[in-house]
Amino acid sequence: TVNKGFPTNILYGEDVYRLDTGRMNKKTPFDKNIITHFGTQEHLFDYAFKRLKVEGERVDYSLVLTEPLCNLTYSRKSMTEMMFELYQINSLSWGVDSLLSAYKNNFGSNGLIISSGYQTTHIIPYLNNRPILDKSRRISIGGQNHLDLLIQTLPLKYQDYKTIFTPEIC
């Protein structure tokens, strides 16, 4: 069945590259980096566990899930319920993706962390080895906006090729 505009065929992994892009209306389970379609997310986890060769009814591991800054409590709660009830994991830890990356890569004591995604950008000031979360910001500009601008401006320079500038080509 189709649920909230999502197709019954869900493609992930290498299957996405075998897709005929002209005939398919692609959707994502995310909106502004927040999961809005948990049924599709369940299929993505099934695929990931299968690729990691985690077999059986139970995922007998502890997991760390990353999330964007300012993630909704509802989204975290729903994902936590899915992990414990559906996959029966041992334990679950949450972390802000850009902060975990900064810690892993020895970011330093002072700086500015800019995490740009497809639909949003997060800016986190970092002072004396600590993020200043109350001064952090989420901006609704991401890769999708850059792609839209590229699609609009390329035909201005290359007027003979106006019809070929599709999102897939750009």
Side-chain angles (χ1 to χ4, degrees), residues 38 67 71-85 92 94:
F38 291 95
E67 63 183 348
N71 196 15
L72 299 175
T73 305
Y74 171 77
S75 181
R76 185 185 299 165
K77 177 182 171 280
S78 298
M79 288 291 283
T80 302
E81 286 177 5
M82 180 189 303
M83 287 291 122
F84 283 108
E85 292 177 9
L92 177 64
W94 287 94

Side-chain angles (χ1 to χ4, degrees), residues 11-124:
L11 302 174
Y12 31 74
E14 297 298 319
D15 292 340
V16 173
Y17 297 113
R18 291 189 277 274
L19 172 67
D20 181 10
T21 58
R23 299 179 0 174
M24 196 76 163
N25 185 14
K26 298 175 290 253
K27 302 248 185 205
T28 175
F30 301 95
D31 184 23
K32 305 272 190 224
N33 291 355
I34 297 171
I35 298 171
T36 56
H37 195 268
F38 291 95
T40 304
Q41 185 62 40
E42 180 183 332
H43 286 284
L44 293 172
F45 279 129
D46 289 343
Y47 174 77
F49 290 138
K50 180 180 175 185
R51 293 280 298 191
L52 292 170
K53 301 197 182 343
V54 177
E55 305 288 336
E57 297 282 322
R58 178 179 169 87
V59 176
D60 199 20
Y61 294 98
S62 298
L63 296 180
V64 175
L65 291 180
T66 61
E67 63 183 348
L69 188 68
C70 307
N71 196 15
L72 299 175
T73 305
Y74 171 77
S75 181
R76 185 185 299 165
K77 177 182 171 280
S78 298
M79 288 291 283
T80 302
E81 286 177 5
M82 180 189 303
M83 287 291 122
F84 283 108
E85 292 177 9
L86 190 62
Y87 297 105
Q88 302 172 8
I89 62 171
N90 292 335
S91 64
L92 177 64
S93 295
W94 287 94
V96 175
D97 51 6
S98 55
L99 291 178
L100 290 176
S101 176
Y103 294 140
K104 170 66 177 153
N105 293 301
N106 298 322
F107 181 68
S109 60
N110 299 318
L112 194 63
I113 299 170
I114 300 175
S115 174
S116 186
Y118 187 63
Q119 294 176 329
T120 60
T121 297
H122 296 92
I123 302 171
I124 306 169

